[in-house]
Amino acid sequence: MAAFEMAKGLGTLDWNVHVLTREQDLPGDPSRPACCPVTSMPDSLTEDSPRLKEHLDALLEDLKPDFIIYHSWSNWCREELMKYAESHRIPFIQRPHGTATNFSSFFRLRYPPFFGMKKWVGSFLSIRRAILRMSKEASLNRLVFLDPCGTPFKGFDYYYASKLKLPNACCIPNTFPALKHGTPFFREKHGLTGVSVFTCAASACTRKQQLLFIRHAKRMDLQNIVFLFLVPQRNPYAEQMEKAIGDHPGFRILYDLPRHEVEAAISESDAVFLYSYQEQQPLCILEAMSCGIPWIAPDIGAISVLKGGIMLKSRTPRYLKKALTSMLDPGTRKSLSAAGLRQWQQRYAPRAVYAQWEALLHSARKSENIQTH
């Protein structure tokens, strides 16, 4: 979604954008029309480096890009694109979305302690190598982080780059058009009138930890409240969520909603929530802020720099109940709503963000011209 919104936003500024992505088995959404040309590559190609290089070289020779912007640290074609950019002396812009370098990611859920330590240290070293490589061509390459927030245990990529004081590193947040409060229809359509609605709009997966949230929330005696999960696609994890919920009236899952209904669900909610163990700058939280909806989320990634919500010190029933109880108070919601909306307008609105992208791209183009001559 972040790449889609970025492509759409830059397109409105008359930049000619072409998106290159991995092949994904996701249902189409007619409410989100194509904003630019898209090329999808199957995993069978990305797993064969010589074939991948040949394919990318042919594609890029045809496109003749002025810039290459690569989202995330994953390496499904980053090395090949960097080599192409270096050989053709064009700017390569790395757009990290955070890093999986926190303890929770490697110890609690994915690996036993010894292997968790090995993977955790390996993640640090991998990110460190990638940042050092980006710094070698600092006059052309750019590192664009989401927020100036990082420690050795979360957001390590920004932390390490800031310690090196790299001249080619900066921070530009995600953005998208603000969600609007239209004529209310979502609650009535889905039988949610007369209750407080807390919404989680996220894929059903272990990283998002919806199952843990359901188990914790079911222990609480909270009346007249519905926790609504908006899930793009039903999968085995979602089936586990359904089983955990059973016939409890305080939980609902809605699948594969069109985009306008997702936006309506968020804007008509009393609050949105996340329970993830790994995020950086969650778009669903920014969406809520853009229309003045308060949020609840754990202290992960760059959540600590966001306003307009309640940050959980820990993902435990005690902290969750305290946050939910506070959020049920209209006065609390009103003050948080105002703070979040104000910060979004100042820092995360398209006008503010794309002015930074325009300046960055023009600066990179100027550097390219200097290098060429």
Side-chain angles (χ1 to χ4, degrees), residues 223-342:
Q223 302 297 319
N224 207 36
I225 182 171
V226 172
F227 298 108
L228 176 64
F229 297 92
L230 306 180
V231 177
Q233 196 171 29
R234 192 168 183 264
N235 58 23
Y237 189 91
E239 292 172 7
Q240 294 180 56
M241 291 168 59
E242 293 170 2
K243 186 176 179 180
I245 291 170
D247 59 358
H248 197 294
F251 300 87
R252 291 276 301 277
I253 304 178
L254 296 177
Y255 295 106
D256 192 22
L257 293 180
R259 179 62 189 167
H260 75 278
E261 286 206 35
V262 173
E263 294 182 2
I266 293 172
S267 64
E268 293 181 35
S269 295
D270 293 281
V272 302
F273 67 91
L274 273 180
Y275 221 47
S276 309
Y277 68 79
Q278 179 67 41
E279 299 279 357
Q280 186 62 26
Q281 190 185 81
L283 289 180
C284 62
I285 299 295
L286 295 184
E287 286 178 317
M289 292 167 59
S290 77
C291 59
I293 301 299
W295 50 266
I296 296 172
D299 183 10
I300 51 176
I303 291 287
S304 59
V305 306
L306 299 179
K307 298 179 181 179
I310 299 175
M311 187 176 69
L312 303 172
K313 293 181 180 179
S314 178
R315 289 178 298 118
T316 63
R318 181 168 70 91
Y319 285 115
L320 178 60
K321 185 173 183 178
K322 183 178 179 181
L324 293 173
T325 303
S326 296
M327 198 63 81
L328 288 171
D329 175 54
T332 298
R333 291 201 305 273
K334 183 177 180 180
S335 62
L336 290 174
S337 169
L341 180 59
R342 185 164 53 250

Side-chain angles (χ1 to χ4, degrees), residues 76-146:
W76 65 278
C77 68
R78 181 164 57 89
E79 286 299 314
E80 290 78 8
L81 290 174
M82 281 192 73
K83 289 176 182 176
Y84 180 90
E86 289 173 3
S87 64
H88 288 75
R89 306 303 297 167
I90 61 176
F92 182 88
I93 300 171
Q94 177 78 49
R95 174 64 157 168
H97 287 223
T99 55
T101 52
N102 65 18
F103 282 109
S104 297
S105 177
F106 287 107
F107 291 90
R108 297 184 185 176
L109 297 164
R110 292 167 57 188
Y111 304 101
F114 173 77
F115 295 102
M117 178 65 75
K118 182 178 178 182
K119 295 292 290 187
W120 187 62
V121 172
S123 179
F124 277 106
L125 296 176
S126 174
I127 296 300
R128 179 178 177 274
R129 283 195 300 269
I131 291 175
L132 288 174
R133 179 166 182 193
M134 288 291 297
S135 68
K136 288 182 180 178
E137 292 285 347
S139 59
L140 282 177
N141 294 340
R142 298 289 188 276
L143 269 166
V144 185
F145 298 100
L146 292 171

Side-chain angles (χ1 to χ4, degrees), residues 362-373:
H362 284 301
S363 170
R365 173 175 281 178
K366 184 177 180 181
S367 297
E368 175 192 4
N369 292 336
I370 292 173
Q371 289 281 322
T372 303
H373 295 92

